[in-house]
Each structure stands twice: as structure tokens, then as C-alpha cells.
Amino acid sequence: MKIIPYLFFDGNCESAMNFYKYALSAEIIYLQRYKDTPMEVDEKQKEKIVHGALKVADNQIYFSDVYEYDEATKGKNIALNLNFDSEEEQTAAFKKLSEEAHVEMNLQDTFWGSRFGSLVDKFGVRWLLNFEKK
């Protein structure tokens, strides 16, 4: 399993990615806009970033513009993304982390080819659990 920080922004994600690219001598390795997904979005959201990845040395940081801007509260705009090697590991971790938690999305197959779920645990930490299907 890999743990990847996931940062959320209220519309300035692309600027943030470019700043961190510059500041950390990093490389943008993935960038997808809302318009490039099967999601229905309004005109002002289409050019925003649904998912981006920055490679920093041997690490990655994920980025996104949240669809509902009030979710990207400064100081609270981070989640820990867990990339699992198997569905079994993902299911076990989701079950344990979801005890007394607020489940945002149950584990399910997604349009980006992964099995994904998200929750805020009983301590207020936001977790994104991802298993990339082959």
C-alpha cells in the first residue's frame, strides 16, 4: 500500500500545481479536467481540475478542485489517499476505518477504472481508498 497526500482547492488547483512544481522541482505527471469526465458539470467548472498528480522525487502528491467550493476550507483541504495492491486489503481497511466514521462514498467501481471509497474517520481525518483495477 502507498500513502499519497491529496490536496483540495476551491478553483485554483492548476495554479497550486504549477507553484509546487516550481517550488519543489517537481513534474506534473497527470492532469484531467472535469470536462474530460462523464460527469455533468456547469460551464464554470469544466476547465477546473478533477484530478492531478505531481511527482516529487520518489513521491507523489494528488490534487483536485472540489466541485462544491465550500469543501476546500483552508487548513482542512487535505486527505490521505491509500493506493492498495488488492481488493481484499482495501475492503479490510475500509471496514475498520469506517467504524464510527462518516462514509462519504462506499467502495464501488468508478469511471476512472478503480474501486474507490472515501470517509472521514472518528477523529476527523479524511481517507480516500483506491484500488486500481488491471
Side-chain angles (χ1 to χ4, degrees), residues 86-97:
S86 74
E87 277 191 44
E88 295 76 23
E89 288 176 308
Q90 182 194 37
T91 299
F94 190 88
K95 183 178 178 183
K96 292 173 184 174
L97 284 169

Side-chain angles (χ1 to χ4, degrees), residues 17-69:
M17 288 184 74
N18 284 315
F19 172 74
Y20 294 126
K21 173 185 172 185
Y22 157 76
L24 303 172
S25 298
E27 175 188 0
I28 295 174
I29 57 173
Y30 188 83
L31 190 72
Q32 182 179 30
R33 299 183 188 283
Y34 277 94
K35 70 179 182 182
D36 299 322
T37 73
M39 299 167 56
E40 288 192 30
V41 295
D42 59 41
E43 281 301 313
K44 64 184 177 185
Q45 190 73 22
K46 287 185 176 187
E47 292 300 320
K48 302 299 180 194
I49 308 303
V50 68
H51 181 70
L54 200 68
K55 183 176 182 200
V56 184
D58 292 332
N59 302 293
Q60 288 187 35
I61 303 173
Y62 288 168
F63 294 80
S64 181
D65 280 311
V66 293
Y67 191 74
E68 296 178 17
Y69 295 146

Side-chain angles (χ1 to χ4, degrees), residues 38 105 108 119:
M105 181 176 170
Q108 59 190 271
L119 58 90

